[in-house]
Amino acid sequence: MQKLIIKGKKKLSGKISISGSKNATLPILAASILATNVKVKNIPLVKDIFTMIELLKFIGLKTKLNKKKNFIEIYNKDKNINTLAPYKLVKTMRAGVLVLGSLLGKYKKAKVSLPGGCAIGTRPVDLHLFALKKLGAKIKIKDGYILAEAKNGLKGTKIKFPSISVGATENALIAAVNARGTTILKNCAIEPEIKDLISFLEKMGAKISLIGRTILIKESKIKTSKINHEVIFDRIELGTYMIAGALLAKKNLIIDKIDTKIIKSEINILKKIGVKITQKKKSVIIKKCKRLKKINIITKPFPGFPTDLQAQLMVLLTQADGISKIKEDIFENRFMHVPELKRMGAHIIIKDKTALIKGPTKLTGAEVMATDLRASVSLVLAGMIAENRTIINRIYHLDRGYEFLESKLKNCKAQIKRV
Ligand code: UD1
């Protein structure tokens, strides 16, 4: 099994370019089932995207991936379509469940494996099914599969989600594009990745408006002409490297290929902690930081602080003065990086949903275990500020979501290698 070996305390300098967003690409690829021919640019070459491509191929779509230029062309000729998402593909990547909305809307039936829980929590799909049932689907669960059918097609209606879910909003939105009449989705997730999905669906001919947390989808005709779309940048990857810069910039660390409008609240939080950031329209410069201040944060749906940056922020706060608090309000089990950080010398106590982080603390290298995607990258950050050598096991988690992590960091003088 592969490991990462990091020699800590190496200062960072140079430039990192941010990849396309994994979490925007996944629903867009799932929604491409609705179209005839799409070209999706700026896709990150990471494991979850390869798995989604495998799923599209299994369903019967033709795909042409250009790895050099990070784009994919997808063709749906409506021939030999298999309305099935098998367990072997959905179990490794929960976003596989997003093909449910496309298949059901377009082909009126789908059999999709239940994704099951994962390391960060139980992660049910009840909200996805709640919305699809309201749209008229008949749904049964049998042998670990969701069996969904809408013999007469889906029908637009008013749906209010009892709580906010990114995936359920995406599934309902994609399904509603093929519904008769108008659908009104209330209490939706409004992450930038969802806005990107809306812009992709609009290019396909869908009529969608977003007002606050309400999404209105009017009955529309899907175009058969070719659609071109460029995926937005990965704001979580950006947040991760901004934190790396805050911890280790020699003088300046430049991060580009971004849009600072989308990450205003994260930038404000980092500034409150004392991180020195110069913003341009399409890049940020992180300057060497002298003193970091404690902060109290609660993870929330967008525009709140993202749960996907919680673990990385915690590493930053091990270097801040005083006791910081992070409350994890989205997932019930997302502090798995804490025992590993403590093995490296961090002072962290967990009380219910809140982690109390005492800093500043010197971290020392250790052999640690990656448990999920974001926890893994927090261990990379910890290894980069720790004394001596850190060995990170089970790094396949990292490969699910960070494109060219080692080379991006090595180019900025980090000492990191895969063995
Ligand atoms: C997406 C992101 C993930 C991010 C998360 C929250 C993708 C591929 N993944 O995951 O990186 O951490 O948003 O920003 O975009 N829930 C239910 N029932 C449901 C669905 C969700 O109870 O049917 C709960 C979840 O267990 C969780 C909360 O709602 O506690 C939010 O989850 P959700 O927004 O759905 O996350 P994902 O879409 O799975």
Side-chain angles (χ1 to χ4, degrees), residues 341-360:
L341 293 176
K342 283 168 84 164
R343 293 184 57 245
M344 297 176 75
H347 295 297
I348 305 171
I349 299 170
I350 298 174
K351 283 189 184 161
D352 300 324
K353 289 174 158 190
T354 303
L356 306 173
I357 307 114
K358 191 172 165 211

PDB file of all heavy atoms in Angstrom, residues 341-360:
ATOM      1  N   LEU A 341      -3.639  13.747  14.950  1.00  0.00           N
ATOM      2  CA  LEU A 341      -2.948  15.017  15.240  1.00  0.00           C
ATOM      3  C   LEU A 341      -2.397  15.002  16.668  1.00  0.00           C
ATOM      4  O   LEU A 341      -1.315  15.537  16.936  1.00  0.00           O
ATOM      5  CB  LEU A 341      -3.900  16.207  15.051  1.00  0.00           C
ATOM      6  CG  LEU A 341      -4.366  16.489  13.618  1.00  0.00           C
ATOM      7  CD1 LEU A 341      -5.372  17.640  13.585  1.00  0.00           C
ATOM      8  CD2 LEU A 341      -3.187  16.823  12.704  1.00  0.00           C
ATOM      9  N   LYS A 342      -3.166  14.374  17.585  1.00  0.00           N
ATOM     10  CA  LYS A 342      -2.688  14.306  18.978  1.00  0.00           C
ATOM     11  C   LYS A 342      -1.417  13.463  19.066  1.00  0.00           C
ATOM     12  O   LYS A 342      -0.522  13.751  19.853  1.00  0.00           O
ATOM     13  CB  LYS A 342      -3.784  13.729  19.868  1.00  0.00           C
ATOM     14  CG  LYS A 342      -4.855  14.776  20.172  1.00  0.00           C
ATOM     15  CD  LYS A 342      -6.075  14.188  20.790  1.00  0.00           C
ATOM     16  CE  LYS A 342      -5.964  14.008  22.265  1.00  0.00           C
ATOM     17  NZ  LYS A 342      -7.313  13.804  22.853  1.00  0.00           N
ATOM     18  N   ARG A 343      -1.339  12.429  18.229  1.00  0.00           N
ATOM     19  CA  ARG A 343      -0.117  11.608  18.229  1.00  0.00           C
ATOM     20  C   ARG A 343       1.080  12.426  17.749  1.00  0.00           C
ATOM     21  O   ARG A 343       2.230  12.085  18.019  1.00  0.00           O
ATOM     22  CB  ARG A 343      -0.309  10.371  17.357  1.00  0.00           C
ATOM     23  CG  ARG A 343      -1.347   9.437  17.976  1.00  0.00           C
ATOM     24  CD  ARG A 343      -1.530   8.154  17.221  1.00  0.00           C
ATOM     25  NE  ARG A 343      -0.290   7.440  17.101  1.00  0.00           N
ATOM     26  CZ  ARG A 343       0.323   7.203  15.952  1.00  0.00           C
ATOM     27  NH1 ARG A 343      -0.211   7.610  14.828  1.00  0.00           N
ATOM     28  NH2 ARG A 343       1.454   6.548  15.921  1.00  0.00           N
ATOM     29  N   MET A 344       0.787  13.511  17.034  1.00  0.00           N
ATOM     30  CA  MET A 344       1.889  14.374  16.566  1.00  0.00           C
ATOM     31  C   MET A 344       2.154  15.513  17.563  1.00  0.00           C
ATOM     32  O   MET A 344       2.943  16.399  17.291  1.00  0.00           O
ATOM     33  CB  MET A 344       1.546  14.945  15.187  1.00  0.00           C
ATOM     34  CG  MET A 344       1.411  13.860  14.127  1.00  0.00           C
ATOM     35  SD  MET A 344       0.898  14.512  12.535  1.00  0.00           S
ATOM     36  CE  MET A 344       2.415  15.269  11.969  1.00  0.00           C
ATOM     37  N   GLY A 345       1.428  15.503  18.675  1.00  0.00           N
ATOM     38  CA  GLY A 345       1.698  16.495  19.725  1.00  0.00           C
ATOM     39  C   GLY A 345       0.651  17.585  19.867  1.00  0.00           C
ATOM     40  O   GLY A 345       0.776  18.462  20.726  1.00  0.00           O
ATOM     41  N   ALA A 346      -0.412  17.562  19.060  1.00  0.00           N
ATOM     42  CA  ALA A 346      -1.428  18.624  19.156  1.00  0.00           C
ATOM     43  C   ALA A 346      -2.214  18.481  20.456  1.00  0.00           C
ATOM     44  O   ALA A 346      -2.412  17.371  20.952  1.00  0.00           O
ATOM     45  CB  ALA A 346      -2.375  18.530  17.965  1.00  0.00           C
ATOM     46  N   HIS A 347      -2.636  19.638  21.010  1.00  0.00           N
ATOM     47  CA  HIS A 347      -3.469  19.619  22.219  1.00  0.00           C
ATOM     48  C   HIS A 347      -4.900  19.868  21.807  1.00  0.00           C
ATOM     49  O   HIS A 347      -5.303  21.024  21.588  1.00  0.00           O
ATOM     50  CB  HIS A 347      -3.017  20.708  23.198  1.00  0.00           C
ATOM     51  CG  HIS A 347      -1.641  20.477  23.713  1.00  0.00           C
ATOM     52  ND1 HIS A 347      -1.317  19.370  24.458  1.00  0.00           N
ATOM     53  CD2 HIS A 347      -0.491  21.175  23.558  1.00  0.00           C
ATOM     54  CE1 HIS A 347      -0.035  19.403  24.745  1.00  0.00           C
ATOM     55  NE2 HIS A 347       0.497  20.486  24.205  1.00  0.00           N
ATOM     56  N   ILE A 348      -5.673  18.802  21.690  1.00  0.00           N
ATOM     57  CA  ILE A 348      -7.068  18.944  21.232  1.00  0.00           C
ATOM     58  C   ILE A 348      -7.952  18.074  22.130  1.00  0.00           C
ATOM     59  O   ILE A 348      -7.622  16.925  22.421  1.00  0.00           O
ATOM     60  CB  ILE A 348      -7.233  18.478  19.762  1.00  0.00           C
ATOM     61  CG1 ILE A 348      -6.252  19.228  18.856  1.00  0.00           C
ATOM     62  CG2 ILE A 348      -8.678  18.684  19.281  1.00  0.00           C
ATOM     63  CD1 ILE A 348      -6.173  18.701  17.436  1.00  0.00           C
ATOM     64  N   ILE A 349      -9.069  18.670  22.555  1.00  0.00           N
ATOM     65  CA  ILE A 349     -10.057  17.895  23.331  1.00  0.00           C
ATOM     66  C   ILE A 349     -11.368  17.952  22.552  1.00  0.00           C
ATOM     67  O   ILE A 349     -11.736  19.007  22.025  1.00  0.00           O
ATOM     68  CB  ILE A 349     -10.285  18.522  24.732  1.00  0.00           C
ATOM     69  CG1 ILE A 349      -8.986  18.540  25.527  1.00  0.00           C
ATOM     70  CG2 ILE A 349     -11.358  17.763  25.509  1.00  0.00           C
ATOM     71  CD1 ILE A 349      -9.098  19.359  26.807  1.00  0.00           C
ATOM     72  N   ILE A 350     -12.088  16.829  22.518  1.00  0.00           N
ATOM     73  CA  ILE A 350     -13.400  16.847  21.850  1.00  0.00           C
ATOM     74  C   ILE A 350     -14.487  16.761  22.908  1.00  0.00           C
ATOM     75  O   ILE A 350     -14.453  15.883  23.782  1.00  0.00           O
ATOM     76  CB  ILE A 350     -13.543  15.680  20.861  1.00  0.00           C
ATOM     77  CG1 ILE A 350     -12.492  15.816  19.764  1.00  0.00           C
ATOM     78  CG2 ILE A 350     -14.936  15.648  20.230  1.00  0.00           C
ATOM     79  CD1 ILE A 350     -12.428  14.662  18.821  1.00  0.00           C
ATOM     80  N   LYS A 351     -15.448  17.714  22.821  1.00  0.00           N
ATOM     81  CA  LYS A 351     -16.619  17.661  23.708  1.00  0.00           C
ATOM     82  C   LYS A 351     -17.831  17.684  22.814  1.00  0.00           C
ATOM     83  O   LYS A 351     -18.111  18.698  22.172  1.00  0.00           O
ATOM     84  CB  LYS A 351     -16.646  18.880  24.629  1.00  0.00           C
ATOM     85  CG  LYS A 351     -15.689  18.790  25.773  1.00  0.00           C
ATOM     86  CD  LYS A 351     -15.950  19.918  26.748  1.00  0.00           C
ATOM     87  CE  LYS A 351     -14.913  19.897  27.856  1.00  0.00           C
ATOM     88  NZ  LYS A 351     -14.834  21.169  28.546  1.00  0.00           N
ATOM     89  N   ASP A 352     -18.550  16.576  22.729  1.00  0.00           N
ATOM     90  CA  ASP A 352     -19.703  16.425  21.815  1.00  0.00           C
ATOM     91  C   ASP A 352     -19.277  16.777  20.393  1.00  0.00           C
ATOM     92  O   ASP A 352     -18.358  16.196  19.869  1.00  0.00           O
ATOM     93  CB  ASP A 352     -20.896  17.286  22.273  1.00  0.00           C
ATOM     94  CG  ASP A 352     -21.358  16.883  23.656  1.00  0.00           C
ATOM     95  OD1 ASP A 352     -21.312  15.690  23.948  1.00  0.00           O
ATOM     96  OD2 ASP A 352     -21.756  17.776  24.430  1.00  0.00           O
ATOM     97  N   LYS A 353     -19.956  17.838  19.864  1.00  0.00           N
ATOM     98  CA  LYS A 353     -19.659  18.175  18.460  1.00  0.00           C
ATOM     99  C   LYS A 353     -18.517  19.184  18.330  1.00  0.00           C
ATOM    100  O   LYS A 353     -18.264  19.706  17.255  1.00  0.00           O
ATOM    101  CB  LYS A 353     -20.903  18.822  17.837  1.00  0.00           C
ATOM    102  CG  LYS A 353     -22.056  17.883  17.584  1.00  0.00           C
ATOM    103  CD  LYS A 353     -23.215  18.730  17.111  1.00  0.00           C
ATOM    104  CE  LYS A 353     -24.244  17.981  16.347  1.00  0.00           C
ATOM    105  NZ  LYS A 353     -25.210  18.881  15.727  1.00  0.00           N
ATOM    106  N   THR A 354     -17.889  19.551  19.478  1.00  0.00           N
ATOM    107  CA  THR A 354     -16.911  20.640  19.432  1.00  0.00           C
ATOM    108  C   THR A 354     -15.494  20.161  19.753  1.00  0.00           C
ATOM    109  O   THR A 354     -15.299  19.383  20.687  1.00  0.00           O
ATOM    110  CB  THR A 354     -17.330  21.750  20.435  1.00  0.00           C
ATOM    111  OG1 THR A 354     -18.652  22.161  20.086  1.00  0.00           O
ATOM    112  CG2 THR A 354     -16.413  22.958  20.369  1.00  0.00           C
ATOM    113  N   ALA A 355     -14.542  20.654  18.981  1.00  0.00           N
ATOM    114  CA  ALA A 355     -13.136  20.385  19.279  1.00  0.00           C
ATOM    115  C   ALA A 355     -12.526  21.657  19.854  1.00  0.00           C
ATOM    116  O   ALA A 355     -12.734  22.748  19.316  1.00  0.00           O
ATOM    117  CB  ALA A 355     -12.398  19.971  18.007  1.00  0.00           C
ATOM    118  N   LEU A 356     -11.811  21.507  20.970  1.00  0.00           N
ATOM    119  CA  LEU A 356     -11.101  22.645  21.573  1.00  0.00           C
ATOM    120  C   LEU A 356      -9.620  22.454  21.251  1.00  0.00           C
ATOM    121  O   LEU A 356      -9.050  21.398  21.552  1.00  0.00           O
ATOM    122  CB  LEU A 356     -11.283  22.664  23.085  1.00  0.00           C
ATOM    123  CG  LEU A 356     -12.731  22.630  23.599  1.00  0.00           C
ATOM    124  CD1 LEU A 356     -12.781  22.492  25.098  1.00  0.00           C
ATOM    125  CD2 LEU A 356     -13.436  23.928  23.190  1.00  0.00           C
ATOM    126  N   ILE A 357      -9.040  23.449  20.600  1.00  0.00           N
ATOM    127  CA  ILE A 357      -7.665  23.307  20.119  1.00  0.00           C
ATOM    128  C   ILE A 357      -6.797  24.329  20.834  1.00  0.00           C
ATOM    129  O   ILE A 357      -7.036  25.537  20.720  1.00  0.00           O
ATOM    130  CB  ILE A 357      -7.591  23.555  18.591  1.00  0.00           C
ATOM    131  CG1 ILE A 357      -8.609  22.662  17.875  1.00  0.00           C
ATOM    132  CG2 ILE A 357      -6.196  23.321  18.033  1.00  0.00           C
ATOM    133  CD1 ILE A 357      -9.711  23.403  17.212  1.00  0.00           C
ATOM    134  N   LYS A 358      -5.801  23.837  21.573  1.00  0.00           N
ATOM    135  CA  LYS A 358      -4.927  24.766  22.310  1.00  0.00           C
ATOM    136  C   LYS A 358      -3.634  24.973  21.529  1.00  0.00           C
ATOM    137  O   LYS A 358      -3.013  24.017  21.069  1.00  0.00           O
ATOM    138  CB  LYS A 358      -4.630  24.183  23.691  1.00  0.00           C
ATOM    139  CG  LYS A 358      -3.966  25.158  24.605  1.00  0.00           C
ATOM    140  CD  LYS A 358      -3.879  24.591  25.998  1.00  0.00           C
ATOM    141  CE  LYS A 358      -2.896  25.416  26.791  1.00  0.00           C
ATOM    142  NZ  LYS A 358      -2.204  24.639  27.789  1.00  0.00           N
ATOM    143  N   GLY A 359      -3.275  26.233  21.344  1.00  0.00           N
ATOM    144  CA  GLY A 359      -2.060  26.504  20.598  1.00  0.00           C
ATOM    145  C   GLY A 359      -1.313  27.675  21.200  1.00  0.00           C
ATOM    146  O   GLY A 359      -1.774  28.277  22.159  1.00  0.00           O
ATOM    147  N   PRO A 360      -0.150  28.007  20.683  1.00  0.00           N
ATOM    148  CA  PRO A 360       0.525  27.276  19.608  1.00  0.00           C
ATOM    149  C   PRO A 360       1.290  26.066  20.143  1.00  0.00           C
ATOM    150  O   PRO A 360       1.820  26.123  21.238  1.00  0.00           O
ATOM    151  CB  PRO A 360       1.495  28.320  19.046  1.00  0.00           C
ATOM    152  CG  PRO A 360       1.760  29.268  20.170  1.00  0.00           C
ATOM    153  CD  PRO A 360       0.567  29.238  21.075  1.00  0.00           C
TER     154      PRO A 360
END
